[in-house]
Amino acid sequence: MSSSPGHTDAPSFLACFHCGLPVPDGAHYPIQFEEKPRQACCRGCQAVAQTIIDSGQGAYYTHRTVLPATPQAAEAELAQLGLYDLPEIQESFVRVEAEHIREAALILENIVCAACIWLNERHIAALPGVLSVEINYATRRARVRWNNSRIQLSAILKAVSDIGYIAHPFDPGRSDDIYKRERNTAIKRLAIAGLGMMQVMMYALPAYTATDMTDDIRLLMRWASLILTIPVVLYSAWPFFIGAWRDLKRRTLGMDVPVALGVGTAFIASVYATFFGHGEVYYDSVTMFIFLLLTGRFLEMNARRRAGAAVEELVKLIPAATTRLPNWPLRDEEQVPVARLAVGDHILVRPGETLPADGVVIDGDSAVSEAMLTGESLPVSKSRDAKVVGGSLNQASPLVIQVEKLGADTRLASIVRLLDRAQSEKPRIGQLADRAAAWFVGLLLLITVLVGVAWYLIDPSKVLWIVVSILVVTCPCALGLATPAALTTATGRLTRLGLLTTRGHALETLARATDLVFDKTGTLTQGRLSVRRVVPLGGRNENEVSAIAAALEAGSEHPIARALREAAPHSILTASGVRNTPGRGVEGEVDRRTYRLGSPRFAAPAHTPPEPSGGKHPASGHEYPNGHEHPKNGHESWIALAASDELIAWFALADTPRADAPAALAALRAQGLRLHLLSGDAEGAVKATAQQLGIDDWHAGALPEDKLAYVKTLQSQARIVAMVGDGINDAPVLAGAQVSIAMGEGADVAQAAADMVMLGSRLATLADGVALARKTQQIIRQNLGWALGYNLIAIPAAAFGHVTPWLAGIGMSVSSLLVVLNALRLSDYKPNPPAAAPALPSPLTAPR
């Protein structure tokens, strides 16, 4: 029963205390009111209701007599209170970019065609203080940026309402509710239209076939058809008339205008013929057209839902509730909504549960699946101090996690935000299609008038049904859907493969790319040094010298220090009196003996490092200012260990190429791309990497400005350049390339400058991305070709009287549906597996 005060007619289901919608099974959003717990249906209602109560306006719930009958009524009440402008309400769906700059994720209702998107974007963008607005047709989600000092969010929501649409703050539960409500309404309208059509056809068929029907019987058939057609026109087709009136009030011509004109004209003419007893009636054509059009839109709605499923799946990864440990390290447990978590809280995540936030492992050792976030199919081991990402699935053992990021600050929220932006931004070909669709309806109406006048002079008896056929058969919606349907499906598929698209133009440009430029360290290589060889001297063994080196580097986070510690993970030696000499090395005592570890000039100035061994993996060649410098002999970096004045060991360090790099680059070459390697590392390291991976065009010692100049040179030769990098120094060249891809493990500034981000570490994802980008452009061209070709054939055919109204309805519905179904082929697209590539050569001496 309802928990709302003052509600007399309680529904049989558990109703939301705030809006009256049913509370979903398993949802737990408690609200404290008058010292009693109440239930809300979603996080948004919970936050709004609690804010109303906490601000002293709880009388709102005491004095209202009924729950809002519809979510629209609930939103109207909230708009009057202006609660959406309160910071505590905005926390769950508004991101603060700067002092006054805000960005919100909204979901729109009553969107029926591409023209609705165009109208809303223009209307919202015209509001003073709105900086940008992008609406995804496939998902109905809008991303709005505004200056909070010039306009409030409630004013934006009201502006949307003023033109006949409804905007809500995005919430996964509410999104599902809206979809279910729209689907149920569509089924009802479709059922009425289908029943009406079948009954009217039963009366129309004898009128067409019988030769001895009396005028009285014929008139009776017409009156029966009229009675059956009225609910179809006034209920099933009502959204078309509302949409057309809304467009005309705004002085725009959307897709509903010709539909409403066609249906209205045929119906009024039929009513006139029925009342006055002369002229033709088109009740069968009207009901059949409405039924076919609603069928097409219903199927299109479900197809669009599938196309936007990637974003919805990501949003739903975060659970509604979790287990908090309020008195950690004590194991006291409490179940709390995720919305109530705070940074610094400790939470317990059991096997089979999803992590609710980004954080760090405090206790436990488990395997975590990040497949939905990175595309990596294998689980990742997580132990103490390891970073974990909200939305990943704990698979093996319980983990205690300290929360570091929540809500809009999490990596998952960032992925969803970037994916939304990419799906909303339109590439050049999509912008051309939108402009064509915008003037298409006006041109259609002009053609209809001219054809109507011509047929009036030729044969007045055919004017009406030919005019209706022209209005009905055309379909600018197919033009408007051609690009967004394909882009939404493709970006969702790429995200599941592990390549996040953050800019709308990225897929189009990647498909046309001719050259692919790679950074080396962290991109083609692991970006992590490891000890490749140990050369002990003076009768010592590897284990002994490695343990001494690990002890000296125990307190350092330097990449070389980490590599030396990992080479002796079981060392029990400790060092004392450790002194660091920046840029050179460290000195300290182990077992009361003094050692020096660092560059040969620091630890062994009178000695020369060993000759490089053939077939070694290249070193990173980086200069490390924080405690080490090391010469590059070939493609290995050497570190010396000396006791007093006696050299006792050499350590060779190298950066390892990624295991899948040869196969990935072979696949990219097979796709016709020319590969380049640019690196700031020493020539020996870069040359070795290029030779191992089969890259002919390589350049070493390149500064950030050198990399950018190299890319500009390629661009001056009419080459389309894609750049792949990971470091801060790659940000300028990433921004300068036509399309850029940042490694997911790289620097934040590199990801911010990039058009795409690799979520995992698989380089094979690049080849998948290129293949899918090319396939997407092929699908878009097919969709646009179909939409244009269909209209170029259908309009003349209808103008010459070869298309009846009911056949026009079939054509229009099928036109839009085929475009969406063709785009959906991308959702399961599997690029051809790359050809096998030779394995990387193994080192002569493997590390311990």
Side-chain angles (χ1 to χ4, degrees), residues 178-199:
I178 291 173
Y179 169 71
K180 291 175 183 176
R181 189 168 65 251
E182 288 182 348
R183 188 175 184 273
N184 290 338
T185 302
I187 290 174
K188 291 176 185 176
R189 296 188 192 278
L190 189 59
I192 296 297
L195 290 172
M197 178 197 68
M198 289 187 291
Q199 294 299 318

Side-chain angles (χ1 to χ4, degrees), residues 117-137:
I117 301 295
W118 176 82
L119 172 62
N120 276 277
E121 286 182 339
R122 283 192 59 185
H123 183 65
I124 297 173
L127 298 173
V130 172
L131 304 178
S132 66
V133 55
E134 297 155 353
I135 304 174
N136 187 337
Y137 182 28

Side-chain angles (χ1 to χ4, degrees), residues 83-134:
L83 289 174
Y84 282 131
D85 298 329
L86 298 177
E88 53 267 39
I89 299 298
Q90 294 185 359
E91 281 182 1
S92 62
F93 65 94
V94 174
R95 187 169 69 99
V96 179
E97 292 187 1
E99 183 179 359
H100 296 297
I101 306 304
R102 304 287 187 270
E103 182 181 87
L106 307 174
I107 189 158
L108 299 182
E109 290 189 59
N110 298 341
I111 299 290
V112 294
C113 70
C116 299
I117 301 295
W118 176 82
L119 172 62
N120 276 277
E121 286 182 339
R122 283 192 59 185
H123 183 65
I124 297 173
L127 298 173
V130 172
L131 304 178
S132 66
V133 55
E134 297 155 353

Side-chain angles (χ1 to χ4, degrees), residues 537-827:
L537 303 172
R540 291 172 173 80
N541 60 51
E542 286 189 24
N543 291 336
E544 180 184 355
V545 296
S546 296
I548 295 171
L552 290 170
E553 296 284 20
S556 175
E557 288 302 315
H558 192 280
I560 290 178
R562 282 198 298 267
L564 292 171
R565 288 200 303 271
E566 289 171 359
H570 304 298
S571 172
I572 59 174
L573 296 179
T574 59
S576 61
V578 177
R579 298 174 299 280
N580 175 40
T581 303
R584 298 178 66 83
V586 296
E587 183 177 359
E589 295 183 359
V590 178
D591 287 340
R592 290 181 289 187
R593 188 171 184 183
T594 301
Y595 293 91
R596 303 186 90 189
L597 176 70
S599 68
R601 282 187 294 172
F602 175 71
H607 297 79
T608 302
E611 289 299 317
S613 57
K616 288 289 180 285
H617 292 298
S620 69
H622 280 303
E623 187 132 340
Y624 296 99
N626 186 24
H628 293 286
E629 62 174 9
H630 50 292
K632 295 93 181 168
N633 194 345
H635 55 269
E636 291 177 334
S637 303
W638 289 97
I639 297 297
L641 175 64
S644 301
D645 294 327
E646 176 191 5
L647 179 65
I648 62 173
W650 289 102
F651 298 89
L653 281 74
D655 188 7
T656 308
R658 296 181 185 271
D660 66 338
L665 298 189
L668 291 167
R669 272 190 292 269
Q671 292 171 330
L673 289 166
R674 181 180 169 188
L675 307 183
H676 308 257
L677 176 59
L678 298 181
S679 177
D681 295 352
E683 181 175 341
V686 179
K687 181 179 179 180
T689 300
Q691 288 176 343
Q692 283 182 291
L693 300 179
I695 299 177
D696 297 327
D697 298 313
W698 57 271
H699 295 270
L703 298 173
E705 54 267 31
D706 299 328
K707 295 180 180 181
L708 183 59
Y710 185 84
V711 167
K712 295 294 184 186
T713 301
L714 290 176
Q715 292 171 338
S716 68
Q717 300 169 6
R719 313 290 291 180
I720 298 176
V721 181
M723 175 71 198
V724 187
D726 77 315
I728 293 175
N729 62 334
D730 294 323
V733 69
L734 287 171
Q738 280 106 327
V739 62
S740 52
I741 304 163
M743 304 298 291
E745 303 162 348
D748 290 343
V749 68
Q751 296 183 21
D755 303 312
M756 309 178 88
V757 178
M758 289 181 61
L759 300 175
S761 58
R762 290 176 58 251
L763 282 175
T765 305
L766 286 174
D768 294 344
V770 172
L772 187 59
R774 292 176 177 176
K775 184 67 175 178
T776 302
Q777 294 307 302
Q778 180 184 344
I779 293 289
I780 289 176
R781 286 193 293 269
Q782 289 173 357
N783 284 350
L784 290 175
W786 162 255
L788 290 171
Y790 165 80
N791 284 294
L792 289 175
I793 294 173
I795 293 176
F800 285 104
H802 300 308
V803 179
T804 59
W806 68 268
L807 187 59
I810 294 177
M812 180 186 179
S813 302
V814 169
S815 179
S816 290
L817 188 58
L818 281 180
V819 165
V820 178
L821 293 177
N822 191 37
L824 278 178
R825 292 196 294 142
L826 294 168
S827 63

